[in-house]
């Protein structure tokens, strides 16, 4: 956690703020140019021990950024690199490659110009504060792109170099080495992708005027933009998986070791580009919390009327898709399973109405279509991991269709596949989970649940039907108060319930015997990704030695690893936490949303570490959190191919 | 004080022996193959399927765990007069080992005649061999079912096997290794696609082959574990063991044979004092042994280099279910940063997942305190406890040396 934060501050050279109390997105206009001005930035940082740079170099390599958003151009990288050694000196924790390699990746990937790479390597050299050697080294860097053997060595060097004071020549070189080492496979790949993307977007730009009116854009240009446009990781991995499913083994292998790039919403140029393709016009909220800038946050409530008015102009989007998308946007459908089922059913309708255009193959064209639908969904609300898995499943099914199948047969096959997925992976899986979980409920138990999970509700109701004697504590939290609906349903069925807010958790926990929680996803390291607040519930339960049972269908498992709730999350409407409905006297934050020095953070999910979890109940039985990767490994094929 | 528990076991035996005499067929007294002619197979099967608690398959007292009774009979300290008494009581019964030896060829020779034989009796016969683990006994009994079966189709055979394993499992629900052994056998033997193509007879012989192989593997498991664990026993170390475990004994025996220098602390292992038995065995091997009372574990823990325990069952979380007292030893060892090693054969891996101590089928056994206990005083009679995985260091199994989290991996691969 600290490491992450430190690295964030490292990557942001201009303003050093700790935690999420952070600068306003549009800082004083004077500051940004100053930051890229080396001597001034020198004076800003008390710890920096860098010789001043030659102004000529700087101006050549650094177009001064105008916006307040960080690292949207290569120019922003300059101070990043230069701060790196001193920063690690400051924090005395050598964190060699993470911050700037990440930055570099983002940058290299999305810069329009093909020279982006070169520029970055230059900026890397800035860090070494040896402007004269830059000219020699830059080409070398870009040409050799850091041979792997060397990278290993230089990482070791970094460990030392990070601690040492960067004053002497060789020291400086050692500190520049890690930057070179950062040109890893991932980066080279990113470079390639960036170049390809640039080419493709150039092409797309070229025939954009033609393509705008056209519903389904031609396959080739669509594919590249789709990858760039897709925001959250899921969809991107979908695309990459799709490629994996293809018949190009080398491509497949290369894809494997590169984590799918994820849209960073603090990367302004990219956001801009994504917006061009967007159907939903989202206006971004203004004061975003620093730590979470990479996540999309939009003003709520503005898009819906806009979209509704557009209803008849949008051919590319099937009405069923459109409807579901609007429901996501309005929040009418929520909950992992409900969203996933709605999406799959919309896809099914769309597939039923689909007909392959002339000169196209169903497999390719339909995949592109689905991708465009998916990006529409993403614009409405970021996908959940379960939805990503379902999309991945569907795409594999499409690409695996035998070519001999006629169109109607293929469509029928796909529809039945979707039905199967819904039935087996969601509905039946829930039943199996209920069967398993009920065996853990004994007479006299006091079960605690948090928020509203449909599986947990089914478990409680089933156990009640079986005549088990137990009490339920529903813990809830603002702003969603989902637990109230659950509570109502449980009480109506005659269960004896108690209701409390999460503030009273530690008080109520001592009488609880088991905690049942739902999950949006379970990640490979056993981390449970779930409604925000789950982590605190699990932590308190663990402190009280109360077993925590996570109930989650196996189709929600994901092979990704996540250590915190920052790098991937969803931001809710900040107004929701600022306003208290029905309390006119609590109006202190009215119209304060645009205050420069106020940032509201309404996180949707959090990550519960595996240590707090006693058991995960899934359709494959009851497993410890350490066994999630086993399920993912053994049943990945099973998930994808049913 | 073990008079009572010993006599209790005797009572059990009587229960096992006597009722068949009351029933028309003297089934359990006879070797299984001979009684086939006496009673029609269907009725025989149905009787013991229908009435689980019927007289000759004693689930005599649901409050007493048959598994722990057997263990006590096998591994507890047995006085000579108890032995004499026991011998006298069961004198009319053929000696277990002999019986087993004689049964096997007969069964193999006459597969057609054995249909009506009773799995449970077969199992009991095997079980009485002190060296044979309960699960292996079950495996052998089930293999005998295949041999004795008169089924003509694979499906029939499988159903029969299923029935037999179910009846075995329900016969003693407290024994984890019995349940796990039965389940594993079913998985191992019947999960083969090759069976589907062949004609019935060759498929059946293949099943028997597999069953025998599985039995063999299970028998060898203890040796494998002993070999694997040798790397962990270093010269001059002090090992704390709890209760009596045949695997642990094998491990220590092998270490002694390998001329390792170590000493062993044995806990007493109340209430059946199985630790005394272990210390006896070790003394025979000239291993320096010290006996501790169960409550002296924490007192001696700082001298201990490692803790070695067996397991009645290894559960999905990677924790173990073992004789009462294991949990507290593991806790003490954990708090003093001593490694806790578990030696357990893979047929003890069970698809169970207890969340806490009470989350298991109760396995009770009588406890003698030596003095009369007032009836108002409650006695905790549970025979076993659950040790969560975070207190275990490594598991030595015939699949290799595993960390607790791998157990679930193996189980998932086996069962799903």
């Amino acid at each position: 956690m600290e490491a992450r934060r430190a690295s964030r501050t490292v990557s942001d050279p201009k303003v050093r703020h700790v935690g999420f109390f952070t600068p306003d997105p549009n800082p004083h206009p004077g500051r940004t140019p100053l930051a890229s001005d080396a001597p001034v930035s020198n004076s800003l940082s008390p710890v920096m021990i860098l010789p001043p740079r030659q102004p000529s170099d700087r101006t050549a390599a650094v177009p001064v950024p105008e916006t307040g958003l960080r690292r949207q151009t290569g120019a922003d990288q300059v101070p990043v690199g230069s701060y790196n050694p001193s920063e690690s000196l400051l924090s005395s924790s050598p964190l060699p490659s993470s911050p700037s390699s990440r930055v570099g990746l983002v940058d290299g990937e999305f810069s329009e110009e093909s020279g982006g790479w070169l520029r970055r390597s230059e900026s890397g050299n800035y860090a070494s504060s040896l402007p004269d050697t830059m000219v020699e080294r830059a080409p070398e860097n870009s040409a050799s792109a850091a041979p792997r053997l060397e990278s290993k060595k230089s990482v070791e060097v970094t460990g030392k170099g990070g601690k040492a004071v960067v004053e002497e020549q060789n020291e400086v070189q050692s500190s520049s080495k890690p930057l070179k080492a950062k040109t890893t496979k991932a980066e080279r790949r990113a470079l390639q992708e960036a170049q390809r993307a640039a080419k493709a977007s150039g092409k797309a730009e070229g025939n954009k005027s033609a393509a705008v009116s056209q519903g389904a854009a031609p396959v080739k240009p669509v594919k590249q933009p789709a990858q760039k446009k897709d925001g959250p990781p899921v969809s991107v991995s979908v695309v990459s998986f799709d490629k994996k499913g293809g018949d190009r083994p080398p491509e497949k292998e290369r894809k494997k070791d590169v984590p799918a790039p994820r849209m960073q919403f603090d990367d302004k140029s990219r956001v801009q580009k994504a917006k061009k393709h967007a159907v939903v016009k989202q206006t971004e909220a203004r004061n975003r919390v620093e730590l979470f800038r990479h996540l999309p946050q939009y003003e709520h409530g503005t898009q819906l009327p806009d979209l509704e008015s557009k209803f008849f102009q949008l051919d590319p989007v099937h009405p069923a898709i459109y409807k579901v998308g609007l429901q996501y946007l309005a929040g009418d459908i929520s909950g992992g399973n409900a969203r996933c089922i709605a999406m799959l059913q919309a896809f099914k309708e769309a597939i039923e109405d689909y007909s392959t255009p002339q000169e196209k193959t169903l497999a390719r064209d339909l995949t592109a279509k689905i991708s465009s639908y998916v990006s529409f969904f993403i614009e409405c609300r970021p996908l959940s991991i379960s939805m990503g898995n379902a999309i991945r499943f569907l795409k594999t099914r499409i690409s695996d269709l035998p070519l001999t199948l006629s169109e109607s047969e293929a469509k029928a096959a796909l529809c039945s596949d979707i039905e199967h997925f819904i039935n087996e992976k969601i509905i039946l899986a829930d039943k199996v989970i209920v069967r398993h979980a009920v065996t853990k409920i004994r007479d006299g138990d006091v079960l605690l649940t948090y928020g509203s999970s449909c599986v947990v509700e089914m478990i409680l109701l089933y156990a009640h039907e079986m005549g088990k004697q137990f009490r339920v504590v529903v813990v809830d939290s603002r702003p969603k108060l989902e637990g109230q609906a659950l509570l109502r349903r449980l009480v109506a069925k005659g269960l004896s319930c108690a209701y409390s807010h999460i503030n009273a958790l530690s008080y109520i926990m001592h009488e609880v015997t088991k905690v049942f929680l739902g999950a949006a996803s379970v990640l490979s390291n056993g981390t449970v990704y779930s409604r925000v607040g789950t982590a605190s519930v699990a932590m308190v339960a663990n402190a009280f030695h109360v077993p925590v049972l996570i109930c989650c269908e196996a189709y929600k498992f994901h092979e990704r690893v996540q250590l915190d709730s920052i790098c991937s999350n969803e931001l809710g409407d900040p107004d929701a936490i600022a306003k208290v409905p029905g309390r006119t006297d609590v109006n202190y934050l009215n119209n304060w949303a645009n205050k420069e020095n106020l940032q509201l953070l309404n996180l949707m999910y959090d990550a519960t570490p595996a240590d707090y979890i006693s058991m995960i109940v899934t359709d494959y039985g009851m497993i410890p959190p350490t066994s999630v990767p086993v399920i993912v490994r053994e049943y990945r094929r099973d998930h994808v191919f049913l | 004080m073990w008079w009572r528990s010993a006599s209790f076991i005797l009572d059990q035996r009587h229960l096992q022996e006597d009722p068949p005499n009351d029933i028309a067929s003297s089934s359990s007294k006879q070797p299984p193959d001979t009684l086939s002619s006496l009673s029609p197979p269907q009725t025989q099967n149905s009787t013991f399927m229908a009435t689980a608690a019927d007289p000759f398959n004693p689930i005599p007292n649901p409050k007493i765990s048959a598994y722990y009774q057997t263990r006590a009979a096998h591994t507890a300290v047995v006085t000579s007069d108890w032995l004499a008494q026991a011998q006298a009581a069961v004198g009319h019964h053929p000696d277990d080992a002999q019986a087993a030896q004689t049964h096997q060829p007969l069964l193999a020779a006459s597969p057609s005649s054995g249909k009506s034989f009773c799995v449970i009796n077969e199992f009991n016969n095997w079980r009485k061999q002190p060296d044979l683990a309960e699960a292996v006994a079950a495996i052998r009994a089930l293999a005998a079912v295949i041999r004795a079966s008169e089924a003509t189709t694979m499906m029939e055979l499988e159903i029969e096997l299923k029935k037999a394993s179910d009846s075995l499992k329900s016969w003693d629900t407290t024994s984890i290794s019995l349940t796990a052994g039965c389940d594993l056998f079913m998985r191992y033997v019947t999960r083969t696609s090759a069976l589907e193509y062949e004609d019935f007879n060759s498929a059946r012989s293949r099943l028997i082959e597999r069953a025998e192989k599985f039995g063999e593997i299970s028998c060898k498991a203890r040796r494998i574990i002993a070999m694997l664990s040798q790397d962990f026993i270093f010269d001059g170390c002090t090992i704390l063991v709890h209760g009596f475990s045949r695997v642990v004994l094998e491990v220590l025996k092998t270490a002694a044979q390998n001329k390792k220098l170590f000493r062993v602390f044995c806990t007493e292992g109340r209430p059946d004092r199985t630790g005394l038995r272990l210390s006896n065995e070790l003394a025979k091997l000239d291993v320096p042994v010290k006996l501790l009372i169960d409550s002296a574990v924490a007192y001696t823990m700082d001298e201990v280099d490692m803790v070695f325990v067996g397991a009645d069952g290894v559960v999905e979380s990677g924790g173990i279910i073992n004789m009462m007292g294991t949990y507290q030893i593991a806790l003490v060892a954990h708090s003093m940063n001593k490694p806790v090693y578990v030696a357990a054969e893979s047929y003890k891996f069970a698809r169970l997942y207890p969340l806490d101590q009470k989350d298991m089928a109760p396995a009770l056994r009588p406890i003698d305190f030596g003095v009369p206990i007032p009836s108002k005083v409650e006695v905790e009679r549970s025979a076993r406890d659950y040790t969560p995985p975070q207190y275990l260091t490594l598991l030595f199994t015939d699949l290799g040396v595993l960390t607790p989290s791998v157990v679930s991996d193996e189980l998932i691969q086996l069962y799903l």
Side-chain angles (χ1 to χ4, degrees), chain B residues 130-141:
Chain B
D131 261 354
L132 210 57
E134 188 137 310
V136 180
I139 287 162
R140 294 228 169 131

Side-chain angles (χ1 to χ4, degrees), chain A residues 345 348 414-424 642:
Chain A
Q345 268 159 355
K348 197 177 137 208
L414 286 177
C415 288
S416 78
D417 280 342
I418 292 178
E419 276 298 309
H420 269 235
F421 188 90
I422 295 176
N423 275 332
E424 284 176 25
L642 262 173

Side-chain angles (χ1 to χ4, degrees), chain A residues 38 74 106 145 205 218 245 282 334 411 618:
Chain A
V106 170
E205 220 83 351
Q282 300 269 34
S334 64
K411 277 159 62 178
T618 163

Side-chain angles (χ1 to χ4, degrees), chain B residues 103-269:
Chain B
H103 288 177
Q104 201 167 16
L106 277 175
L107 278 170
S110 57
S112 57
S113 63
K115 170 140 194 204
S116 64
F117 94 123
C118 169
V119 201
I120 291 170
N121 290 330
E122 179 73 16
F123 168 65
N124 277 333
N125 282 333
W126 284 113
R127 198 165 70 117
K128 281 167 197 155
Q129 275 182 274
D131 261 354
L132 210 57
E134 188 137 310
V136 180
I139 287 162
R140 294 228 169 131
L142 288 175
V145 170
I146 302 181
R147 263 189 237 109
S149 161
E150 277 176 342
T152 50
T153 62
M154 261 342 267
M155 207 57 205
E156 217 177 310
L157 184 60
E158 261 191 65
I159 292 171
E160 208 168 295
L161 208 53
K162 182 95 182 47
K163 260 189 196 162
S165 96
D166 282 348
S167 62
L168 259 189
K169 280 195 270 182
S170 63
W171 181 74
D172 181 5
T173 49
T174 56
S175 166
I176 295 159
S177 65
L178 172 61
T179 314
C182 286
D183 287 349
L184 280 174
F185 180 85
M186 295 298 286
R187 298 301 294 190
Y188 183 84
V189 170
T190 57
R191 193 163 80 163
T192 162
S193 54
L195 293 178
E196 280 157 29
Y197 305 106
E198 295 169 80
D199 66 300
F200 175 70
N201 276 330
S202 62
R204 185 161 162 276
S205 61
R206 178 172 289 242
L207 272 190
I208 294 176
E209 206 177 285
R210 284 183 76 97
E212 260 154 21
K213 192 157 164 251
F214 188 61
E216 243 171 65
I217 293 174
S218 310
C219 273
K220 280 187 193 149
R222 229 174 265 163
R223 279 301 319 146
I224 299 171
I225 294 168
M227 300 309 289
L228 282 174
S229 54
Q230 291 310 304
D231 294 344
F232 292 82
I233 298 174
F234 51 89
D235 276 343
C237 66
T238 305
I239 303 171
L240 176 74
V241 294
H242 180 58
F244 182 91
S245 155
R246 282 167 291 200
V247 202
V248 172
L249 179 61
E250 182 82 30
V251 167
L252 297 177
K253 213 189 249 175
T254 317
Q257 279 160 4
N258 290 350
K259 307 264 185 279
K260 303 222 171 183
L261 298 171
F262 60 97
R263 72 182 165 148
V264 178
F265 288 176
C266 282
T267 57
E268 179 193 11

Side-chain angles (χ1 to χ4, degrees), chain B residues 322-400:
Chain B
N322 196 27
M323 180 189 162
M324 186 62 90
T326 310
Y327 181 36
Q328 65 195 24
I329 290 177
L331 276 174
V332 171
H334 181 78
S335 70
M336 296 202 185
N337 286 327
K338 310 283 182 185
V340 179
Y341 298 131
V342 179
E345 301 92 327
S346 63
Y347 54 71
K348 286 176 176 168
F349 286 18
R351 286 220 84 188
L352 288 172
Y353 201 136
L355 283 170
D356 50 36
Q357 301 299 328
K358 304 282 156 22
D359 200 9
M360 297 179 283
L364 305 179
R365 68 175 165 192
I367 294 174
D368 196 326
F369 287 91
V371 288
I373 305 288
S375 61
K376 281 179 190 166
V377 175
E378 235 183 302
V379 177
E380 175 61 65
R381 298 196 301 148
S382 178
R384 61 194 183 187
D385 58 18
Y386 163 63
T387 309
Q390 61 263 36
Y391 304 115
L392 306 177
T393 315
L394 287 173
L395 295 146
F396 301 141
T397 74
D398 44 323
L399 307 171

Side-chain angles (χ1 to χ4, degrees), chain A residues 328-483:
Chain A
Y328 289 164
L329 193 57
D332 291 345
I333 300 181
S334 64
N337 285 343
R339 275 169 75 196
C340 194
I341 291 176
M343 179 189 73
L344 284 173
Q345 268 159 355
F347 278 153
K348 197 177 137 208
E349 275 185 56
I351 288 173
E352 273 163 3
D353 295 342
Y354 170 83
S355 63
T356 319
Q358 298 281 303
E359 298 150 11
K360 292 215 175 111
T361 55
L362 178 130
R364 282 167 177 265
D365 187 56
L366 190 57
T367 312
K369 261 258 183 331
I370 298 282
S371 301
S372 72
Y373 295 158
V374 169
S375 50
F376 172 74
F377 281 143
I378 293 170
E379 284 157 21
C380 295
R381 189 181 160 183
L383 293 186
S384 66
I385 289 173
S386 54
M387 289 160 79
N389 284 345
I391 293 166
R392 181 195 282 192
F393 156 79
L394 181 60
K395 288 200 171 180
T396 328
R397 296 308 297 189
I398 294 174
S399 66
D400 284 355
L401 282 175
L403 288 171
T404 51
L405 237 54
S406 75
E407 191 185 306
S408 61
E409 280 171 336
K411 277 159 62 178
L414 286 177
C415 288
S416 78
D417 280 342
I418 292 178
E419 276 298 309
H420 269 235
F421 188 90
I422 295 176
N423 275 332
E424 284 176 25
K425 295 288 166 213
I426 305 178
I427 295 171
L428 275 178
D430 279 348
K431 286 192 178 140
V432 176
I433 290 173
V434 168
R435 284 287 141 71
H436 283 303
V438 155
T439 61
K440 290 293 161 205
I441 300 180
R442 292 197 297 260
D443 280 350
D445 265 349
V446 180
L447 311 177
L448 183 141
T449 183
Y450 174 71
S452 169
S453 156
C454 62
V455 193
V456 172
E457 182 184 347
M458 286 159 75
I459 292 166
L460 298 177
L461 292 179
Y462 186 75
H464 181 69
E465 269 172 40
M466 285 173 71
K468 301 209 177 195
Q469 298 297 314
F470 60 94
R471 287 192 296 131
V472 180
V473 179
V474 178
V475 174
D476 209 352
S477 76
R478 288 239 318 124
K480 288 216 160 201
L481 296 177
E482 292 162 310

Side-chain angles (χ1 to χ4, degrees), chain B residues 399-416:
Chain B
L399 307 171
V401 180
L402 313 177
T403 59
S405 60
V406 183
V407 173
S408 159
D409 191 334
E410 297 288 345
L411 277 170
I412 288 170
Q413 284 180 17
L414 261 171
Y415 281 99
L416 292 177

